[in-house]
Structures are given as C-alpha cells and as structure tokens.
Amino acid sequence: MSPLLQGVLTIIIGVGGCIGYFYFSNILLDKVFFPDSGKNAARNITRANRVRPWLFLFPAMFALSLYLVYPVVGSFWRSLFNRSGDEFIGLGNYMGLLDSPDFHTAFFNNLLWVVFVPAASTLFGLLAAQLTDRLSWGGIAKSLIFMPMAISFVGASLIWKFVYAVDPDIGLINALRDFFGMEPLDVLQLAFWNNFFLMVILVWIQTGFAMVILSAALRGIPEETIEAAILDGAGPFAVFMKIKVPQIMGTIVVVWTTITILVLKVFDIVYTMTGGNFGTEILPSYMMSFMFRDDGRATAVAFVIMLVVLPVMIWNIMQARKEMK
Amino acid sequence: MDNMAGQKSGLVIATNLSVIFMVVLWLIPTVGLLVSSFRDRDQISASGWWQAPFSVELAFRTRADDGEPQLIDGRYVIEGNIFETEEVQEAFAEGEGTITAFGTRGAEPGQFPAGTEGETRDGDLVTINPDGTYIYSTAEEPGRRAPRIYFQADTPAEFTLFNYRTILGSAGMDRAFINTLTVTIPATIIPILIAAFAAYALAWMQFPGRGILIAAVVGLLVVPLQLALVPLLKLHNEIGIGQSFLGIWLAHTGFGLPLAIYLLRNYMVGLPRDIIESAKVDGATDFQIFTKIILPLSFPALASFAIFQFLWTWNDLLVAKVFLPSNSESWVMTVKIADDLLGSRGGDWGILAAAAFISIAVPLIVFFAMQKYLVRGLLAGSVK
C-alpha cells in the first residue's frame, strides 16, 4: 500500500476512531452502566458525571504516559545498562561520559548556546518590537523578521551554508573579506568562534518569536505610565529602559526560558552544518552520534539533557500553579 | 505617538533606518538562496548571487571547427564564428555573449585581449574578435581534429528552472516531498481531537486531581524529545510497528499533545461561563456542550495549534530520522537534504538551493497565509 493511501486511511481511522470512542463511551456510560432513568436515576447521573472526565481524558493521558512519561523512566533505566543492554552497569555510562573529552566539549558548547542564543534573540527581539511599534510599515517589517520561524532548521542551515561558504563568489562573508583584500576563510572551521557562527542561525530564527511576544507585551503597557514619564521630561531612551522594560520583565523571562528550552533540543543545525566536527558538538547532536550505535550512552546523554531542563520545568509548573489560584 | 512631546523627527528617521537595516539583514540569507536556486551552475561558481542580474565572464574551450581550412599563401587559414563551434554551440544557443579575451593554452584562457592577434607556441596565429568571428592560421595542415582554442566571454545573466527540474526529477526530491506530506497531515489532524476532549475536561469539568494533571501537562511541555527516542523505538519494534509511517504518526501525536492540550485548555477556560451553564440548565450533556458549543467556539485555538503542529512536523528532522525507515524510499525532505544531498551534491550550490527552497516553500505559504493564528497561538502559549 502506498504511504499516501495509508495516510488517508490513518486519518479516517484515527479521526473516526476518536469520534467513535468519545461518542459510544458516553452512550455506554449514560445508558448501560449508569442509566439516567429508573429507580437510581439521580444517583446514577452523579456517578456518571464523576466518571465522565476520565472518559474525556483517557486517550490523551494514555498517549502522554506512553510517549512522554514512560520514556523518562525508560531512558533512565536503559542508561544504567551497557551497550547491548544485557548487563547492568549502574552509573557506568555516566562515568564514561565524565571521562570523555567529547562530552566536555559538547557540554561546554551547550552552555555557550544556552547563554548566547536566548540572550541575543531576546535582545534583538526586544529591539525589533520597540522599533517597529509605531511604524506605519511595522506590520510588514515584523512579518519579514518573523518569517524564519516557518523555515526548518535544516533549511535555515542550508541558507546559512551559502552565507558562510568559503568561495567568495558564493559566501557573503568571504565576498566581504575578498572586497577588503583578505584571504577567504572557512568560518565553520574557526576553532571556538565557529560555535557562534552556528548560534547565529538559531538567533536568526528565534528573534521573530521573541519580537512577536514582546511586541504584544509592549502594547499592553498602560499608556498613562508612559505619558507621565514623558511629562516628567524623560527622553525616549529613558522611557524605554526605565518605564517599558521593567513592566514587561515577566514576559522577557518567559521568552528567555522558552528559547533556552529550545536550545537544549535543537540538534539539526549542528548536524547539518558541521556534523559535530571542528569542536562544535552540543549535547543533542552528541546524543544522536550514539543513536543506533550505543543505546546505553545515547540514553545517558538524553538524561543529562533532561537534568539540565529540569529546573526550568519545575519553574514553569510553579508559575502555572500560581496563575491558576 | 508621532506627535507626542518627546518624539523628535530625527528619532523617527533613525527608527525607520534601523528597521530597514534589520529587515534587510534578516532577509538577505533567504533572498540569496532564492536567487541562487534559479541560476545556472557555471554562473553560480563565476559570480555571487548579488551580481546575478549582470553578465558573467565565463571561460570556455572549444576547437576551431566552424569553417573549412583554406590554403592561403602557404598557410592553412580557418575562418568562422566561435559561437558556432561544436563544443560551445549549446552554451550560446539562447544568446551570444561578448568575447573579452582568448588564449591557446588551458592554463591561460585569457592570454590575449579580444581583437588582437595571438601566437601559439607552435607559431600558429589566432585572432578572435569580440563578436565571435575568428581567424586561425597555421603553417601545418590541420589534422582530423581542429586546433584547440580557449576564450573568455561575457555571458548574459541567465535564469533557469534547470535546478528545479533536476532536483524534482532524477534526484528524487519529489518522492521526499510526498513523504513529508504523508507524515505531516495525519500527524497534524489526529492529535487535535484527542487534545480537544482532554482540554475540555481540564477546563470545564470538576474532578479530583485536575490541578495536578494541568501541572503535569505544563511539565511535559518541556520534556526533551531525545529521551523518547530509544525507549519508544524499542517499544515500536516489540509491538511490530517498527520504523514506519504509522510509527512516526503515533510519535508525532504523542509529542504534540502537551502543547495542544495546553493551548486549547487556556483558550477554552476563557470562553464565557454563561453559555455553558445555560446549556447545562437546558439539559445538554457534556458531550453535546463540547461538540455543539465548545468546539466551534474554539476554532481560533484549533487553527493555531494546527499551524504549529504542521510547521513542526513538516520541519522535523530528529523524529523522522529515528522513527522512519532509513532507506531512500521513506526519506522526508529534511532527511533527504541533511543526509543525502549535502553529501552527494555538496558542491552543487544551485541544486542545494532549489532543494532547500522546495522544502521551505509550503511552510512559508502557510506562514504568510495564516500568520494571524500563528501569532495568536504563540501569545496564548507563552504569555499568561
């Protein structure tokens, strides 16, 4: 069967199955298990209403537990075994990682990414949001800066491969160097700094995201606070730094953490641009280098990523709970 | 605020200029890709894409085989037009260029300026004029093959669909495109319904443990996918799904659910309480309220999530690499580009550009057509 046909069939089965499940399970509940007529009608309705939320939740909870909760446990468990998975070696894989210089490189580079990408994206996003705010063509400008969000990391990497190409007739950077009479340079092989050339790609993508959210937050600032500051003689720069930024600090933090989480997951850029060579490995790409070869190591790296994400996760949950109260 | 005190006109100009600068900076890489994808391979390697509208000086080699040798004053003379010679005929089929220089050795194709007379090491005399007419005179009788000539010509800028034809035809990108589409559509549609029911329960039904479940969804939003790869692939192999389209649909469904539930719940919780309560008073069941009232009213949120999930699954490389079979039959576009084209056609920039553009064209269309919903979804998903 061709995959396309299989796809159509899956949509029908999937969607039909969902509707069928919800429809018939509700009927079953109301008519068979707890009939809403007869002598216990009132009690049955209460009972049915107690069960119903779980009917609604069941498919989602099942999928979430299987595809996201179980893997956390399963990965950790697997990471305690050796390469072939038949011998329990405790923290052996983690010890192996600590001894491996490649892991150190990946971890250190990832720290650079986590510091630089969210900072630069948020900064540029804030700048773009503020500058386009009252501009007549601000909408178009925002659209264009936002556009890279739609492009895949692989596509974006290819776009930037052109920019970084060594040939001065292809790569813009080397064309500029050539113009000023300098020798062509492969920026992707430039030790240490090549990491930043890779980060630029993600900053290019994420600035639009930061801009859109911060722009909405800027719009939400009460006009009176700004007017009052202007009447008190504050210049545009002071208004921005002392009135606007403090008021949207909460949003800035959200944007910052969202991008931080993303940084810890993106393996595509490093994989496509350098394949992790020239000292550009980061944890997600390092994990993929073990995938299909050494599941013990791969899951150990994945779990390290999880540990790094954990504080943000806890913080997110605490924020969510605070809002609900 | 344009007329407000404290806003100077100089500042307005500076703002405009810096926004223009930023937009140009952000656009340049993509524009470069787009322009390159329409350029001829020789032109790409001869001049930058920013010079694409201008003619390019390219080097050619050919043989002086247009015109028969004639014996004049003891020397054999061949007269003809260089653009008509066999080896370069095709390159100049659509329009003639201008000869800038010529030479007789491959190492120095531009040894003599056009219109002058050059002499080879064997004492042959060659003249090639800018319009392509040439005179080649030699003391010895030319053999079966006419003598070699090298020349440089300004060829007019040329835009072609050649790269797109190659990539969609022989290179197999068409197959990858279909595969991407096959992965994306079910993986976008299936989670929506599952999530919508769960979101309704979390937003409008009272039951013990609701708060914990919502917190769990928020926590699951940030679980790194990397953790899921090894255990789930093993699971898929054990229950017989293996690496297949069915496997990737299920995986994408699972991975997309936290965001879907979170977005939809946040939206549904904001719907007016009156409508739902009066429907309950009228005797509507939860199922009816959900399908008749909540679902239609939640359309904007459903659209937001659908766009997210579509972009995410279309652009995904990681999940496709792990959950789809690794043969070329099942490659999606991202895998095709990253694992195949970058290796096998690494230096063929025109082909790479065309491939990249094919893979980003659909998301770009979706993006510009439905930006409103995308922005709304982003705002609902992060600012609270």
Side-chain angles (χ1 to χ4, degrees), chain A residues 132-155:
Chain A
T132 53
D133 198 24
R134 313 277 163 163
L135 226 52
S136 53
W137 56 288
I140 300 167
K142 274 195 235 171
S143 271
L144 294 175
I145 295 177
F146 192 31
M147 181 199 69
M149 272 288 283
I151 297 175
S152 63
F153 296 123
V154 174

mmCIF file with all atom_site columns, all heavy atoms in Angstrom, chain A residues 132-155:
data_model
loop_
_atom_site.group_PDB
_atom_site.id
_atom_site.type_symbol
_atom_site.label_atom_id
_atom_site.label_alt_id
_atom_site.label_comp_id
_atom_site.label_asym_id
_atom_site.label_entity_id
_atom_site.label_seq_id
_atom_site.pdbx_PDB_ins_code
_atom_site.Cartn_x
_atom_site.Cartn_y
_atom_site.Cartn_z
_atom_site.occupancy
_atom_site.B_iso_or_equiv
_atom_site.pdbx_formal_charge
_atom_site.auth_seq_id
_atom_site.auth_comp_id
_atom_site.auth_asym_id
_atom_site.auth_atom_id
_atom_site.pdbx_PDB_model_num
ATOM 1   N N   . THR A 1 132 ? 9.636  48.716 15.722 1.00 0.00 ? 132 THR A N   1
ATOM 2   C CA  . THR A 1 132 ? 8.538  48.615 14.753 1.00 0.00 ? 132 THR A CA  1
ATOM 3   C C   . THR A 1 132 ? 7.210  49.057 15.366 1.00 0.00 ? 132 THR A C   1
ATOM 4   O O   . THR A 1 132 ? 6.210  49.157 14.666 1.00 0.00 ? 132 THR A O   1
ATOM 5   C CB  . THR A 1 132 ? 8.366  47.164 14.259 1.00 0.00 ? 132 THR A CB  1
ATOM 6   O OG1 . THR A 1 132 ? 8.228  46.316 15.399 1.00 0.00 ? 132 THR A OG1 1
ATOM 7   C CG2 . THR A 1 132 ? 9.547  46.712 13.442 1.00 0.00 ? 132 THR A CG2 1
ATOM 8   N N   . ASP A 1 133 ? 7.217  49.304 16.672 1.00 0.00 ? 133 ASP A N   1
ATOM 9   C CA  . ASP A 1 133 ? 5.974  49.518 17.391 1.00 0.00 ? 133 ASP A CA  1
ATOM 10  C C   . ASP A 1 133 ? 5.069  50.568 16.757 1.00 0.00 ? 133 ASP A C   1
ATOM 11  O O   . ASP A 1 133 ? 3.906  50.319 16.518 1.00 0.00 ? 133 ASP A O   1
ATOM 12  C CB  . ASP A 1 133 ? 6.295  49.883 18.843 1.00 0.00 ? 133 ASP A CB  1
ATOM 13  C CG  . ASP A 1 133 ? 5.086  49.703 19.741 1.00 0.00 ? 133 ASP A CG  1
ATOM 14  O OD1 . ASP A 1 133 ? 4.221  48.896 19.351 1.00 0.00 ? 133 ASP A OD1 1
ATOM 15  O OD2 . ASP A 1 133 ? 5.005  50.364 20.782 1.00 0.00 ? 133 ASP A OD2 1
ATOM 16  N N   . ARG A 1 134 ? 5.601  51.762 16.503 1.00 0.00 ? 134 ARG A N   1
ATOM 17  C CA  . ARG A 1 134 ? 4.721  52.843 15.998 1.00 0.00 ? 134 ARG A CA  1
ATOM 18  C C   . ARG A 1 134 ? 4.985  53.138 14.543 1.00 0.00 ? 134 ARG A C   1
ATOM 19  O O   . ARG A 1 134 ? 4.687  54.216 14.064 1.00 0.00 ? 134 ARG A O   1
ATOM 20  C CB  . ARG A 1 134 ? 4.927  54.115 16.819 1.00 0.00 ? 134 ARG A CB  1
ATOM 21  C CG  . ARG A 1 134 ? 4.930  53.916 18.294 1.00 0.00 ? 134 ARG A CG  1
ATOM 22  C CD  . ARG A 1 134 ? 3.512  53.888 18.835 1.00 0.00 ? 134 ARG A CD  1
ATOM 23  N NE  . ARG A 1 134 ? 3.484  53.310 20.160 1.00 0.00 ? 134 ARG A NE  1
ATOM 24  C CZ  . ARG A 1 134 ? 2.475  53.431 21.007 1.00 0.00 ? 134 ARG A CZ  1
ATOM 25  N NH1 . ARG A 1 134 ? 1.407  54.104 20.667 1.00 0.00 ? 134 ARG A NH1 1
ATOM 26  N NH2 . ARG A 1 134 ? 2.517  52.866 22.187 1.00 0.00 ? 134 ARG A NH2 1
ATOM 27  N N   . LEU A 1 135 ? 5.594  52.213 13.844 1.00 0.00 ? 135 LEU A N   1
ATOM 28  C CA  . LEU A 1 135 ? 5.961  52.460 12.463 1.00 0.00 ? 135 LEU A CA  1
ATOM 29  C C   . LEU A 1 135 ? 4.778  52.152 11.554 1.00 0.00 ? 135 LEU A C   1
ATOM 30  O O   . LEU A 1 135 ? 4.053  51.188 11.786 1.00 0.00 ? 135 LEU A O   1
ATOM 31  C CB  . LEU A 1 135 ? 7.133  51.534 12.118 1.00 0.00 ? 135 LEU A CB  1
ATOM 32  C CG  . LEU A 1 135 ? 8.307  52.122 11.385 1.00 0.00 ? 135 LEU A CG  1
ATOM 33  C CD1 . LEU A 1 135 ? 8.813  53.352 12.108 1.00 0.00 ? 135 LEU A CD1 1
ATOM 34  C CD2 . LEU A 1 135 ? 9.394  51.090 11.245 1.00 0.00 ? 135 LEU A CD2 1
ATOM 35  N N   . SER A 1 136 ? 4.611  52.970 10.511 1.00 0.00 ? 136 SER A N   1
ATOM 36  C CA  . SER A 1 136 ? 3.460  52.742 9.638  1.00 0.00 ? 136 SER A CA  1
ATOM 37  C C   . SER A 1 136 ? 3.602  51.396 8.918  1.00 0.00 ? 136 SER A C   1
ATOM 38  O O   . SER A 1 136 ? 2.617  50.713 8.678  1.00 0.00 ? 136 SER A O   1
ATOM 39  C CB  . SER A 1 136 ? 3.350  53.871 8.622  1.00 0.00 ? 136 SER A CB  1
ATOM 40  O OG  . SER A 1 136 ? 4.580  54.026 7.949  1.00 0.00 ? 136 SER A OG  1
ATOM 41  N N   . TRP A 1 137 ? 4.840  51.025 8.582  1.00 0.00 ? 137 TRP A N   1
ATOM 42  C CA  . TRP A 1 137 ? 5.021  49.747 7.888  1.00 0.00 ? 137 TRP A CA  1
ATOM 43  C C   . TRP A 1 137 ? 5.555  48.678 8.847  1.00 0.00 ? 137 TRP A C   1
ATOM 44  O O   . TRP A 1 137 ? 6.129  47.677 8.430  1.00 0.00 ? 137 TRP A O   1
ATOM 45  C CB  . TRP A 1 137 ? 5.941  49.918 6.678  1.00 0.00 ? 137 TRP A CB  1
ATOM 46  C CG  . TRP A 1 137 ? 7.277  50.510 7.016  1.00 0.00 ? 137 TRP A CG  1
ATOM 47  C CD1 . TRP A 1 137 ? 7.529  51.798 7.374  1.00 0.00 ? 137 TRP A CD1 1
ATOM 48  C CD2 . TRP A 1 137 ? 8.539  49.832 7.061  1.00 0.00 ? 137 TRP A CD2 1
ATOM 49  N NE1 . TRP A 1 137 ? 8.860  51.967 7.645  1.00 0.00 ? 137 TRP A NE1 1
ATOM 50  C CE2 . TRP A 1 137 ? 9.506  50.787 7.448  1.00 0.00 ? 137 TRP A CE2 1
ATOM 51  C CE3 . TRP A 1 137 ? 8.950  48.524 6.795  1.00 0.00 ? 137 TRP A CE3 1
ATOM 52  C CZ2 . TRP A 1 137 ? 10.846 50.456 7.594  1.00 0.00 ? 137 TRP A CZ2 1
ATOM 53  C CZ3 . TRP A 1 137 ? 10.282 48.208 6.934  1.00 0.00 ? 137 TRP A CZ3 1
ATOM 54  C CH2 . TRP A 1 137 ? 11.223 49.167 7.328  1.00 0.00 ? 137 TRP A CH2 1
ATOM 55  N N   . GLY A 1 138 ? 5.317  48.907 10.146 1.00 0.00 ? 138 GLY A N   1
ATOM 56  C CA  . GLY A 1 138 ? 5.819  47.984 11.158 1.00 0.00 ? 138 GLY A CA  1
ATOM 57  C C   . GLY A 1 138 ? 5.311  46.558 10.977 1.00 0.00 ? 138 GLY A C   1
ATOM 58  O O   . GLY A 1 138 ? 6.035  45.598 11.233 1.00 0.00 ? 138 GLY A O   1
ATOM 59  N N   . GLY A 1 139 ? 4.053  46.446 10.524 1.00 0.00 ? 139 GLY A N   1
ATOM 60  C CA  . GLY A 1 139 ? 3.477  45.113 10.345 1.00 0.00 ? 139 GLY A CA  1
ATOM 61  C C   . GLY A 1 139 ? 4.265  44.280 9.341  1.00 0.00 ? 139 GLY A C   1
ATOM 62  O O   . GLY A 1 139 ? 4.588  43.119 9.593  1.00 0.00 ? 139 GLY A O   1
ATOM 63  N N   . ILE A 1 140 ? 4.597  44.926 8.223  1.00 0.00 ? 140 ILE A N   1
ATOM 64  C CA  . ILE A 1 140 ? 5.353  44.207 7.185  1.00 0.00 ? 140 ILE A CA  1
ATOM 65  C C   . ILE A 1 140 ? 6.738  43.849 7.700  1.00 0.00 ? 140 ILE A C   1
ATOM 66  O O   . ILE A 1 140 ? 7.213  42.723 7.542  1.00 0.00 ? 140 ILE A O   1
ATOM 67  C CB  . ILE A 1 140 ? 5.476  45.083 5.920  1.00 0.00 ? 140 ILE A CB  1
ATOM 68  C CG1 . ILE A 1 140 ? 4.072  45.416 5.399  1.00 0.00 ? 140 ILE A CG1 1
ATOM 69  C CG2 . ILE A 1 140 ? 6.287  44.382 4.856  1.00 0.00 ? 140 ILE A CG2 1
ATOM 70  C CD1 . ILE A 1 140 ? 4.052  46.508 4.366  1.00 0.00 ? 140 ILE A CD1 1
ATOM 71  N N   . ALA A 1 141 ? 7.367  44.828 8.363  1.00 0.00 ? 141 ALA A N   1
ATOM 72  C CA  . ALA A 1 141 ? 8.715  44.588 8.888  1.00 0.00 ? 141 ALA A CA  1
ATOM 73  C C   . ALA A 1 141 ? 8.697  43.406 9.843  1.00 0.00 ? 141 ALA A C   1
ATOM 74  O O   . ALA A 1 141 ? 9.558  42.526 9.782  1.00 0.00 ? 141 ALA A O   1
ATOM 75  C CB  . ALA A 1 141 ? 9.231  45.847 9.590  1.00 0.00 ? 141 ALA A CB  1
ATOM 76  N N   . LYS A 1 142 ? 7.678  43.371 10.701 1.00 0.00 ? 142 LYS A N   1
ATOM 77  C CA  . LYS A 1 142 ? 7.597  42.275 11.668 1.00 0.00 ? 142 LYS A CA  1
ATOM 78  C C   . LYS A 1 142 ? 7.415  40.944 10.960 1.00 0.00 ? 142 LYS A C   1
ATOM 79  O O   . LYS A 1 142 ? 8.059  39.955 11.315 1.00 0.00 ? 142 LYS A O   1
ATOM 80  C CB  . LYS A 1 142 ? 6.434  42.527 12.631 1.00 0.00 ? 142 LYS A CB  1
ATOM 81  C CG  . LYS A 1 142 ? 6.837  43.388 13.801 1.00 0.00 ? 142 LYS A CG  1
ATOM 82  C CD  . LYS A 1 142 ? 5.771  43.283 14.885 1.00 0.00 ? 142 LYS A CD  1
ATOM 83  C CE  . LYS A 1 142 ? 5.292  44.646 15.249 1.00 0.00 ? 142 LYS A CE  1
ATOM 84  N NZ  . LYS A 1 142 ? 4.149  44.676 16.106 1.00 0.00 ? 142 LYS A NZ  1
ATOM 85  N N   . SER A 1 143 ? 6.531  40.931 9.971  1.00 0.00 ? 143 SER A N   1
ATOM 86  C CA  . SER A 1 143 ? 6.321  39.697 9.206  1.00 0.00 ? 143 SER A CA  1
ATOM 87  C C   . SER A 1 143 ? 7.637  39.157 8.663  1.00 0.00 ? 143 SER A C   1
ATOM 88  O O   . SER A 1 143 ? 7.902  37.960 8.729  1.00 0.00 ? 143 SER A O   1
ATOM 89  C CB  . SER A 1 143 ? 5.427  39.955 7.998  1.00 0.00 ? 143 SER A CB  1
ATOM 90  O OG  . SER A 1 143 ? 4.120  39.803 8.327  1.00 0.00 ? 143 SER A OG  1
ATOM 91  N N   . LEU A 1 144 ? 8.437  40.071 8.112  1.00 0.00 ? 144 LEU A N   1
ATOM 92  C CA  . LEU A 1 144 ? 9.669  39.625 7.458  1.00 0.00 ? 144 LEU A CA  1
ATOM 93  C C   . LEU A 1 144 ? 10.697 39.124 8.469  1.00 0.00 ? 144 LEU A C   1
ATOM 94  O O   . LEU A 1 144 ? 11.423 38.177 8.212  1.00 0.00 ? 144 LEU A O   1
ATOM 95  C CB  . LEU A 1 144 ? 10.245 40.760 6.595  1.00 0.00 ? 144 LEU A CB  1
ATOM 96  C CG  . LEU A 1 144 ? 9.350  41.122 5.414  1.00 0.00 ? 144 LEU A CG  1
ATOM 97  C CD1 . LEU A 1 144 ? 9.886  42.322 4.664  1.00 0.00 ? 144 LEU A CD1 1
ATOM 98  C CD2 . LEU A 1 144 ? 9.206  39.941 4.469  1.00 0.00 ? 144 LEU A CD2 1
ATOM 99  N N   . ILE A 1 145 ? 10.754 39.779 9.629  1.00 0.00 ? 145 ILE A N   1
ATOM 100 C CA  . ILE A 1 145 ? 11.698 39.314 10.652 1.00 0.00 ? 145 ILE A CA  1
ATOM 101 C C   . ILE A 1 145 ? 11.199 38.016 11.280 1.00 0.00 ? 145 ILE A C   1
ATOM 102 O O   . ILE A 1 145 ? 11.967 37.164 11.686 1.00 0.00 ? 145 ILE A O   1
ATOM 103 C CB  . ILE A 1 145 ? 11.899 40.409 11.726 1.00 0.00 ? 145 ILE A CB  1
ATOM 104 C CG1 . ILE A 1 145 ? 12.564 41.629 11.085 1.00 0.00 ? 145 ILE A CG1 1
ATOM 105 C CG2 . ILE A 1 145 ? 12.759 39.902 12.877 1.00 0.00 ? 145 ILE A CG2 1
ATOM 106 C CD1 . ILE A 1 145 ? 12.749 42.789 12.024 1.00 0.00 ? 145 ILE A CD1 1
ATOM 107 N N   . PHE A 1 146 ? 9.888  37.855 11.295 1.00 0.00 ? 146 PHE A N   1
ATOM 108 C CA  . PHE A 1 146 ? 9.245  36.683 11.882 1.00 0.00 ? 146 PHE A CA  1
ATOM 109 C C   . PHE A 1 146 ? 9.357  35.465 10.959 1.00 0.00 ? 146 PHE A C   1
ATOM 110 O O   . PHE A 1 146 ? 9.328  34.322 11.416 1.00 0.00 ? 146 PHE A O   1
ATOM 111 C CB  . PHE A 1 146 ? 7.771  37.033 12.115 1.00 0.00 ? 146 PHE A CB  1
ATOM 112 C CG  . PHE A 1 146 ? 7.008  36.061 12.964 1.00 0.00 ? 146 PHE A CG  1
ATOM 113 C CD1 . PHE A 1 146 ? 7.625  35.344 13.971 1.00 0.00 ? 146 PHE A CD1 1
ATOM 114 C CD2 . PHE A 1 146 ? 5.648  35.888 12.770 1.00 0.00 ? 146 PHE A CD2 1
ATOM 115 C CE1 . PHE A 1 146 ? 6.903  34.467 14.760 1.00 0.00 ? 146 PHE A CE1 1
ATOM 116 C CE2 . PHE A 1 146 ? 4.922  35.010 13.554 1.00 0.00 ? 146 PHE A CE2 1
ATOM 117 C CZ  . PHE A 1 146 ? 5.563  34.298 14.546 1.00 0.00 ? 146 PHE A CZ  1
ATOM 118 N N   . MET A 1 147 ? 9.509  35.721 9.685  1.00 0.00 ? 147 MET A N   1
ATOM 119 C CA  . MET A 1 147 ? 9.449  34.668 8.664  1.00 0.00 ? 147 MET A CA  1
ATOM 120 C C   . MET A 1 147 ? 10.343 33.449 8.922  1.00 0.00 ? 147 MET A C   1
ATOM 121 O O   . MET A 1 147 ? 9.898  32.313 8.723  1.00 0.00 ? 147 MET A O   1
ATOM 122 C CB  . MET A 1 147 ? 9.758  35.257 7.302  1.00 0.00 ? 147 MET A CB  1
ATOM 123 C CG  . MET A 1 147 ? 9.712  34.283 6.168  1.00 0.00 ? 147 MET A CG  1
ATOM 124 S SD  . MET A 1 147 ? 10.599 34.933 4.777  1.00 0.00 ? 147 MET A SD  1
ATOM 125 C CE  . MET A 1 147 ? 12.264 34.882 5.394  1.00 0.00 ? 147 MET A CE  1
ATOM 126 N N   . PRO A 1 148 ? 11.601 33.634 9.369  1.00 0.00 ? 148 PRO A N   1
ATOM 127 C CA  . PRO A 1 148 ? 12.445 32.451 9.558  1.00 0.00 ? 148 PRO A CA  1
ATOM 128 C C   . PRO A 1 148 ? 11.845 31.414 10.494 1.00 0.00 ? 148 PRO A C   1
ATOM 129 O O   . PRO A 1 148 ? 12.203 30.242 10.428 1.00 0.00 ? 148 PRO A O   1
ATOM 130 C CB  . PRO A 1 148 ? 13.738 33.036 10.145 1.00 0.00 ? 148 PRO A CB  1
ATOM 131 C CG  . PRO A 1 148 ? 13.795 34.421 9.637  1.00 0.00 ? 148 PRO A CG  1
ATOM 132 C CD  . PRO A 1 148 ? 12.372 34.878 9.581  1.00 0.00 ? 148 PRO A CD  1
ATOM 133 N N   . MET A 1 149 ? 10.895 31.807 11.353 1.00 0.00 ? 149 MET A N   1
ATOM 134 C CA  . MET A 1 149 ? 10.229 30.855 12.234 1.00 0.00 ? 149 MET A CA  1
ATOM 135 C C   . MET A 1 149 ? 9.588  29.708 11.454 1.00 0.00 ? 149 MET A C   1
ATOM 136 O O   . MET A 1 149 ? 9.420  28.618 11.975 1.00 0.00 ? 149 MET A O   1
ATOM 137 C CB  . MET A 1 149 ? 9.110  31.560 13.004 1.00 0.00 ? 149 MET A CB  1
ATOM 138 C CG  . MET A 1 149 ? 9.527  32.204 14.282 1.00 0.00 ? 149 MET A CG  1
ATOM 139 S SD  . MET A 1 149 ? 9.881  31.017 15.561 1.00 0.00 ? 149 MET A SD  1
ATOM 140 C CE  . MET A 1 149 ? 8.239  30.550 16.080 1.00 0.00 ? 149 MET A CE  1
ATOM 141 N N   . ALA A 1 150 ? 9.188  29.994 10.208 1.00 0.00 ? 150 ALA A N   1
ATOM 142 C CA  . ALA A 1 150 ? 8.492  28.973 9.427  1.00 0.00 ? 150 ALA A CA  1
ATOM 143 C C   . ALA A 1 150 ? 9.471  28.024 8.747  1.00 0.00 ? 150 ALA A C   1
ATOM 144 O O   . ALA A 1 150 ? 9.084  26.976 8.255  1.00 0.00 ? 150 ALA A O   1
ATOM 145 C CB  . ALA A 1 150 ? 7.600  29.639 8.375  1.00 0.00 ? 150 ALA A CB  1
ATOM 146 N N   . ILE A 1 151 ? 10.739 28.400 8.734  1.00 0.00 ? 151 ILE A N   1
ATOM 147 C CA  . ILE A 1 151 ? 11.720 27.619 7.988  1.00 0.00 ? 151 ILE A CA  1
ATOM 148 C C   . ILE A 1 151 ? 12.301 26.531 8.889  1.00 0.00 ? 151 ILE A C   1
ATOM 149 O O   . ILE A 1 151 ? 12.582 26.768 10.059 1.00 0.00 ? 151 ILE A O   1
ATOM 150 C CB  . ILE A 1 151 ? 12.832 28.548 7.464  1.00 0.00 ? 151 ILE A CB  1
ATOM 151 C CG1 . ILE A 1 151 ? 12.226 29.563 6.497  1.00 0.00 ? 151 ILE A CG1 1
ATOM 152 C CG2 . ILE A 1 151 ? 13.935 27.762 6.796  1.00 0.00 ? 151 ILE A CG2 1
ATOM 153 C CD1 . ILE A 1 151 ? 13.202 30.590 6.018  1.00 0.00 ? 151 ILE A CD1 1
ATOM 154 N N   . SER A 1 152 ? 12.491 25.352 8.324  1.00 0.00 ? 152 SER A N   1
ATOM 155 C CA  . SER A 1 152 ? 13.050 24.258 9.119  1.00 0.00 ? 152 SER A CA  1
ATOM 156 C C   . SER A 1 152 ? 14.501 24.564 9.486  1.00 0.00 ? 152 SER A C   1
ATOM 157 O O   . SER A 1 152 ? 15.173 25.340 8.810  1.00 0.00 ? 152 SER A O   1
ATOM 158 C CB  . SER A 1 152 ? 12.992 22.958 8.331  1.00 0.00 ? 152 SER A CB  1
ATOM 159 O OG  . SER A 1 152 ? 13.779 23.060 7.181  1.00 0.00 ? 152 SER A OG  1
ATOM 160 N N   . PHE A 1 153 ? 14.966 23.931 10.564 1.00 0.00 ? 153 PHE A N   1
ATOM 161 C CA  . PHE A 1 153 ? 16.354 24.136 10.951 1.00 0.00 ? 153 PHE A CA  1
ATOM 162 C C   . PHE A 1 153 ? 17.294 23.660 9.848  1.00 0.00 ? 153 PHE A C   1
ATOM 163 O O   . PHE A 1 153 ? 18.347 24.255 9.627  1.00 0.00 ? 153 PHE A O   1
ATOM 164 C CB  . PHE A 1 153 ? 16.654 23.396 12.254 1.00 0.00 ? 153 PHE A CB  1
ATOM 165 C CG  . PHE A 1 153 ? 15.872 23.912 13.421 1.00 0.00 ? 153 PHE A CG  1
ATOM 166 C CD1 . PHE A 1 153 ? 15.064 23.076 14.156 1.00 0.00 ? 153 PHE A CD1 1
ATOM 167 C CD2 . PHE A 1 153 ? 15.941 25.253 13.779 1.00 0.00 ? 153 PHE A CD2 1
ATOM 168 C CE1 . PHE A 1 153 ? 14.329 23.550 15.231 1.00 0.00 ? 153 PHE A CE1 1
ATOM 169 C CE2 . PHE A 1 153 ? 15.206 25.737 14.842 1.00 0.00 ? 153 PHE A CE2 1
ATOM 170 C CZ  . PHE A 1 153 ? 14.407 24.879 15.578 1.00 0.00 ? 153 PHE A CZ  1
ATOM 171 N N   . VAL A 1 154 ? 16.894 22.613 9.159  1.00 0.00 ? 154 VAL A N   1
ATOM 172 C CA  . VAL A 1 154 ? 17.724 22.127 8.053  1.00 0.00 ? 154 VAL A CA  1
ATOM 173 C C   . VAL A 1 154 ? 17.758 23.154 6.928  1.00 0.00 ? 154 VAL A C   1
ATOM 174 O O   . VAL A 1 154 ? 18.822 23.491 6.404  1.00 0.00 ? 154 VAL A O   1
ATOM 175 C CB  . VAL A 1 154 ? 17.181 20.780 7.531  1.00 0.00 ? 154 VAL A CB  1
ATOM 176 C CG1 . VAL A 1 154 ? 17.940 20.346 6.300  1.00 0.00 ? 154 VAL A CG1 1
ATOM 177 C CG2 . VAL A 1 154 ? 17.266 19.720 8.604  1.00 0.00 ? 154 VAL A CG2 1
ATOM 178 N N   . GLY A 1 155 ? 16.580 23.669 6.580  1.00 0.00 ? 155 GLY A N   1
ATOM 179 C CA  . GLY A 1 155 ? 16.510 24.692 5.533  1.00 0.00 ? 155 GLY A CA  1
ATOM 180 C C   . GLY A 1 155 ? 17.317 25.918 5.921  1.00 0.00 ? 155 GLY A C   1
ATOM 181 O O   . GLY A 1 155 ? 18.080 26.458 5.111  1.00 0.00 ? 155 GLY A O   1
#
